C-alpha cells in the first residue's frame, strides 16, 4: 500500500487524494516529530508564565478575556472539543472526513501549532486504522476554521462520540480505538484549539473537486466533439490558428482536444449538403471558448489550493523565533472564492452541454435526425424525458452557482463578525460536480445515439471507440423505447469513473 510521509513542508495534492480516496497509510517524518517537540517546548514555557496567552491560558473567542488557572487547562481543552462538536444534519462523506483529518495533521506537523508529537501520531493512527469520525453537514461558517467538523474529528481522538469503523459500521469511538490498540489522548494547553482551527474541510473538498473537474472538462471536450459530429458541424472552428489569436490557454487546450477526437471523422463539414448553413450554433461553435474559460478557472483554483497546502493555518501560531502570535489566517476567503468560482464555471459548462442535447432532439435544428432520436416518433418518445432530466440538473446547478462567499453572518457575540462561508461553498460545489457528471452523461448518451443514426457516414476512430466502450458498459444504442434509467445510470458511471476519457485516449493519446 502507498505510504504518505508527512513532514514540516506540507503535503501534495496527490498525497491528499491518496489518503482521502485510496486509504494510503501515513507516517510522520523525523523532521516533523522534532518540529512538534520544539514548538511544544515553547508552548509549555509560555504556559508556566503568569501572563495570559490566548489559546494557552485563556478562554476562546468572545471568552478570551478570562485567564484560566493551570489546574483547569486540561478541562478547558477537552471542553472546547466537546462544545464545538455541535454539527447537525446528514453525515459528510468518508473521503471528505479523511481529507479533513489529514490536512489538519499536515498543519499540526508544520511545527507552528504547539501540539505534542503523541497527539499527531494518534491522528495518523486513527486514519491508518480506517476509523472515520461522524461529521455532520452543518456547523462551519468557514472562519476560525471549519470548527464543528474538525471538533467531531477531535472528539474521536478523545475516545468520545461516534465513528465509522473500517467495516462501514458506526459505533462508539471508544470501542473502535480500543479494538485497534489506540489510546485516547488527553489534550494539554492549546492542543484542543489547534485541532479545530483550520480551513481543512473546504480545502480537502476543493482538492477533490479539482481532480474530478479535470476529468470532467476532458469529458466535456469529448461529448462536444460527439455532438458536433452528430449535428454535421464543421471542425474548421477548431483550427489552432483561430485560437492562437485569442490566446487563453484553456480555450486552446479544449479546441486541441476536440480536434484530436474528431480526427478522421466522416461526419464533420457537411454544411453545404441538403440543408446548407454558414456556421454552427453557439453551443457547438463556441464549445472551446466556454470549456476553455472553465479550464482557466481550474488553473486559478489549483494555484490557490497549492498555496493553501503550503500554509500553516492556526490561531495562535508558534513562530520560528519563539513568539506565539494571534492572527487571522484561519479566514477561509481565499478558498471560498474559488470554490464559488468553480461552481459558476461548472454550471455554464452544464448549460452549454444541455443546449447541444436539446438541439440533437429537435427535428427542426438537428439537420435530419428523427424527432427526439426516437425509433418510431409518435409511438416512441425517444430521449425526450432524458433531456428534461438534464434540464432539471442544469437548473439546480444555476442555483448552486449563487456564491456562498458573498454572504456573512456574525457569530461569537460579534467577535467573529465576518465569516467566509467557505464550507458551504465547498458542499454545494460537490453537488454541482455530481450534477455536471450526470449532465455530460446524458449528452454522451444522446450524441452517441445520434451518431449511430447517421447511416452511411463514418465517425472518427476516437468517437467510434467511445461509442463501442459505452455500449459495452451497458448503455444501449438506438431502438424502440425501453426503460431508460438503467442506460442513463450506465452512462453516468462511464463518465464518472473515467472510462469515457480512457476509451478516447486509447486512440488519441493523452488529452490536455
Amino acid at each position: 500500500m502507498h505510504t504518505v510521509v508527512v513532514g514540516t513542508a506540507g503535503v501534495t495534492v496527490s498525497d491528499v487524494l491518496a489518503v482521502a480516496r485510496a486509504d494510503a497509510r501515513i507516517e510522520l517524518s523525523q523532521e516533523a516529530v522534532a518540529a512538534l517537540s520544539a514548538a511544544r517546548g515553547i508552548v509549555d514555557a509560555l504556559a508556566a508564565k503568569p501572563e495570559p496567552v490566548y489559546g494557552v491560558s485563556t478562554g476562546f473567542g468572545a471568552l478570551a478575556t478570562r485567564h484560566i488557572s493551570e489546574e483547569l487547562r486540561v478541562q478547558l481543552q477537552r471542553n472546547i472539543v466537546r462544545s464545538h462538536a455541535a454539527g447537525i444534519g446528514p453525515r459528510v462523506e468518508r473521503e471528505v472526513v479523511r481529507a479533513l483529518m489529514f490536512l489538519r495533521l499536515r498543519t499540526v506537523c508544520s511545527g507552528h501549532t504547539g501540539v505534542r508529537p503523541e497527539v499527531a501520531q494518534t491522528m495518523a493512527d486513527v486514519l491508518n486504522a480506517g476509523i472515520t469520525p461522524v461529521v455532520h453537514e452543518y456547523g462551519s461558517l468557514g472562519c476560525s476554521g471549519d470548527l464543528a467538523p474538525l471538533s467531531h474529528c477531535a472528539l474521536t481522538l478523545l475516545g468520545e462520540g461516534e465513528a465509522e469503523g473500517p467495516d462501514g459500521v458506526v459505533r462508539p469511538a471508544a470501542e473502535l480505538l480500543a479494538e485497534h490498540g489506540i489510546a485516547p489522548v488527553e489534550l494539554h494547553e492549546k492542543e484542543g484549539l489547534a485541532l479545530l482551527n483550520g480551513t481543512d474541510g473546504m480545502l480537502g473538498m476543493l482538492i477533490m473537486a479539482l481532480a474530478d473537474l479535470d476529468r470532467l472538462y476532458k469529458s466535456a471536450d469529448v461529448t462536444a466533439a460527439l455532438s458536433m459530429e452528430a449535428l454535421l458541424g464543421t471542425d474548421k472552428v477548431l483550427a489552432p490558428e483561430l485560437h492562437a489569436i485569442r490566446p487563453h490557454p484553456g480555450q486552446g487546450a479544449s479546441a486541441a482536444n476536440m480536434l484530436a477526437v474528431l480526427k478522421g471523422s466522416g461526419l464533420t463539414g457537411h454544411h453545404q449538403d441538403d440543408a446548407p448553413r454558414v456556421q454552427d450554433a453557439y453551443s457547438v461553435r463556441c464549445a472551446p471558448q466556454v470549456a476553455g474559460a472553465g479550464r482557466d478557472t481550474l488553473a486559478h483554483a489549483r494555484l490557490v489550493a497549492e498555496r493553501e497546502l503550503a500554509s500553516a493555518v492556526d490561531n495562535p501560531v508558534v513562530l520560528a523565533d519563539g513568539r506565539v502570535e494571534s492572527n487571522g489566517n484561519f479566514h477561509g476567503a481565499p478558498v471560498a472564492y474559488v470554490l464559488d468560482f468553480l461552481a459558476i464555471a461548472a454550471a455554464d459548462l452544464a448549460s452549454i452541454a444541455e443546449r447541444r442535447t436539446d438541439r440533437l432532439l429537435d427535428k427542426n435544428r438537428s439537420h435530419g435526425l428523427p424527432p427526439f432520436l426516437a425509433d418510431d416518433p409518435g409511438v416512441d418518445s425517444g430521449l425526450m424525458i432524458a433531456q428534461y432530466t438534464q434540464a432539471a440538473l442544469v437548473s439546480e446547478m444555476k442555483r448552486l452557482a449563487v456564491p456562498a462567499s458573498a454572504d456573512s453572518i456574525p457569530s461569537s457575540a460579534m467577535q467573529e463578525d465576518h465569516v467566509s462561508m467557505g464550507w458551504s461553498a465547498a458542499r454545494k460545489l460537490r453537488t454541482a460536480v455530481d450534477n455536471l457528471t450526470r449532465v455530460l452523461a446524458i449528452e454522451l448518451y444522446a450524441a452517441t445515439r445520434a451518431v449511430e443514426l447517421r447511416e452511411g457516414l463514418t465517425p472518427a476512430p476516437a468517437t467510434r471507440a467511445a461509442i463501442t466502450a459505452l455500449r459495452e458498459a451497458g448503455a444501449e444504442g438506438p431502438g424502440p423505447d425501453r426503460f431508460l434509467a438503467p442506460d442513463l445510470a450506465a452512462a453516468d458511471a462511464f463518465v464518472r469513473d473515467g472510462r469515457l476519457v480512457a476509451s478516447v485516449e486509447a486512440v488519441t493519446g493523452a488529452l490536455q
Side-chain angles (χ1 to χ4, degrees), residues 231-305:
L231 291 167
L232 305 179
T234 177
D235 58 3
K236 290 182 178 181
V237 296
L238 305 175
E241 57 269 27
L242 293 176
H243 299 278
I245 62 175
R246 194 190 191 195
H248 293 288
Q251 176 180 322
S254 284
N257 283 348
M258 289 182 66
L259 204 56
V261 172
L262 291 169
K263 184 178 181 181
S265 175
L267 286 99
T268 56
H270 290 267
H271 284 84
Q272 302 306 318
D273 289 355
D274 294 338
R277 57 200 134 119
V278 176
Q279 54 193 8
D280 292 314
Y282 283 8
S283 60
V284 178
R285 189 177 6 139
C286 301
Q289 284 76 9
V290 173
R295 285 170 169 271
D296 291 341
T297 303
L298 281 178
H300 171 61
R302 193 172 292 113
L303 176 62
V304 172

Side-chain angles (χ1 to χ4, degrees), residues 154-486:
L155 199 64
T156 296
L157 304 179
L158 304 183
E160 300 183 17
E162 290 187 320
E164 179 187 298
D167 59 358
V169 177
V170 174
R171 295 165 53 196
E175 290 182 13
L176 289 168
L177 294 184
E179 280 186 9
H180 290 85
I182 302 171
V185 298
E186 182 182 82
L187 300 175
H188 293 185
E189 290 92 344
K190 194 184 179 300
E191 289 180 331
L193 186 61
L195 294 178
L196 316 185
N197 220 336
T199 56
D200 308 288
M202 63 183 92
L203 176 58
M205 286 185 275
L206 172 60
I207 288 169
M208 288 185 284
L210 287 169
D212 294 339
L213 287 168
D214 181 71
R215 180 187 69 254
L216 290 174
Y217 271 86
K218 292 175 185 176
S219 300
D221 292 338
V222 175
T223 61
L226 274 158
S227 290
M228 179 178 280
E229 276 195 313
L231 291 167
L232 305 179
T234 177
D235 58 3
K236 290 182 178 181
V237 296
L238 305 175
E241 57 269 27
L242 293 176
H243 299 278
I245 62 175
R246 194 190 191 195
H248 293 288
Q251 176 180 322
S254 284
N257 283 348
M258 289 182 66
L259 204 56
V261 172
L262 291 169
K263 184 178 181 181
S265 175
L267 286 99
T268 56
H270 290 267
H271 284 84
Q272 302 306 318
D273 289 355
D274 294 338
R277 57 200 134 119
V278 176
Q279 54 193 8
D280 292 314
Y282 283 8
S283 60
V284 178
R285 189 177 6 139
C286 301
Q289 284 76 9
V290 173
R295 285 170 169 271
D296 291 341
T297 303
L298 281 178
H300 171 61
R302 193 172 292 113
L303 176 62
V304 172
E306 289 169 353
R307 287 172 175 166
E308 195 73 1
L309 271 178
S311 305
V313 179
D314 193 16
N315 181 48
V317 291
V318 181
L319 297 175
D321 60 8
R323 287 180 294 145
V324 176
E325 297 286 359
S326 292
N327 66 91
N329 284 345
F330 49 73
H331 200 288
V335 182
Y337 293 166
V338 294
L339 288 163
D340 280 331
F341 200 176
L342 290 175
I344 292 168
D348 200 36
L349 186 64
S351 180
I352 197 172
E354 183 274 332
R355 288 292 81 204
R356 289 191 294 264
T357 303
D358 181 68
R359 184 167 290 271
L360 290 168
L361 272 54
D362 183 353
K363 69 180 182 64
N364 296 311
R365 295 179 290 140
S366 66
H367 308 289
L369 291 169
F372 303 105
L373 306 181
D375 187 62
D376 184 4
V379 174
D380 293 313
S381 294
L383 304 189
M384 179 191 295
I385 306 305
Q387 185 269 330
Y388 282 36
T389 300
Q390 192 184 42
L393 290 163
V394 171
S395 183
E396 182 179 34
M397 290 183 69
K398 291 174 181 178
R399 295 191 296 272
L400 293 169
V402 176
S405 58
D407 186 28
S408 176
I409 190 163
S411 56
S412 192
M414 293 298 285
Q415 173 72 5
E416 299 168 8
D417 59 352
H418 185 276
V419 296
S420 78
M421 302 308 297
W423 174 273
S424 299
R427 296 305 297 165
K428 68 184 183 65
L429 178 59
R430 283 182 69 82
T431 303
V433 169
D434 273 347
N435 284 358
L436 176 59
T437 306
R438 298 173 182 124
V439 167
L440 294 178
I442 293 172
E443 183 188 13
L444 172 69
Y445 187 67
T448 53
R449 176 182 284 206
V451 167
E452 288 176 306
L453 289 170
R454 294 290 189 187
E455 296 180 1
L457 296 174
T458 305
T463 56
R464 191 161 60 247
I467 295 169
T468 300
L470 179 63
R471 300 294 171 249
E472 291 173 352
E476 297 182 24
D481 280 357
R482 56 181 173 271
F483 179 26
L484 204 54

Side-chain angles (χ1 to χ4, degrees), residues 3-278:
T3 298
V4 172
V5 179
V6 182
T8 59
V11 297
T12 66
V13 166
S14 60
D15 289 337
V16 177
L17 295 172
V19 171
R21 290 181 162 172
D23 290 349
R25 290 191 60 80
I26 302 161
E27 292 181 3
L28 308 185
S29 71
Q30 292 182 351
E31 175 194 31
V33 173
L36 285 160
S37 297
R40 185 64 210 178
I42 294 170
V43 171
D44 286 340
L46 288 171
K49 292 182 177 181
E51 298 84 12
V53 178
Y54 177 70
V56 176
S57 53
T58 71
F60 309 109
L63 301 176
T65 54
R66 178 177 171 182
H67 183 249
I68 307 299
S69 60
E70 187 173 351
E71 64 272 14
L72 293 176
R73 291 177 189 169
V74 169
Q75 181 180 342
L76 169 70
Q77 300 299 321
R78 183 173 61 247
N79 285 352
I80 190 177
V81 172
R82 287 173 169 171
S83 66
H84 285 46
I88 199 168
R91 283 181 58 195
V92 171
E93 303 87 354
R94 182 177 186 270
E95 66 177 14
V96 172
V97 179
R98 287 185 62 83
L100 173 74
M101 287 189 71
F102 177 63
L103 287 168
R104 183 76 321 225
L105 175 61
R106 178 258 331 182
T107 287
V108 163
C109 288
S110 69
H112 290 291
T113 66
V115 169
R116 289 169 297 145
E118 49 264 46
V119 176
Q121 186 59 58
T122 302
M123 296 172 75
D125 291 343
V126 168
L127 284 164
N128 288 340
I131 297 171
T132 307
V134 171
V135 174
H136 299 280
E137 180 87 20
Y138 302 103
S140 173
L141 299 179
C143 203
S144 289
D146 289 318
L147 287 173
L150 283 163
S151 297
H152 282 275
C153 294
L155 199 64
T156 296
L157 304 179
L158 304 183
E160 300 183 17
E162 290 187 320
E164 179 187 298
D167 59 358
V169 177
V170 174
R171 295 165 53 196
E175 290 182 13
L176 289 168
L177 294 184
E179 280 186 9
H180 290 85
I182 302 171
V185 298
E186 182 182 82
L187 300 175
H188 293 185
E189 290 92 344
K190 194 184 179 300
E191 289 180 331
L193 186 61
L195 294 178
L196 316 185
N197 220 336
T199 56
D200 308 288
M202 63 183 92
L203 176 58
M205 286 185 275
L206 172 60
I207 288 169
M208 288 185 284
L210 287 169
D212 294 339
L213 287 168
D214 181 71
R215 180 187 69 254
L216 290 174
Y217 271 86
K218 292 175 185 176
S219 300
D221 292 338
V222 175
T223 61
L226 274 158
S227 290
M228 179 178 280
E229 276 195 313
L231 291 167
L232 305 179
T234 177
D235 58 3
K236 290 182 178 181
V237 296
L238 305 175
E241 57 269 27
L242 293 176
H243 299 278
I245 62 175
R246 194 190 191 195
H248 293 288
Q251 176 180 322
S254 284
N257 283 348
M258 289 182 66
L259 204 56
V261 172
L262 291 169
K263 184 178 181 181
S265 175
L267 286 99
T268 56
H270 290 267
H271 284 84
Q272 302 306 318
D273 289 355
D274 294 338
R277 57 200 134 119
V278 176

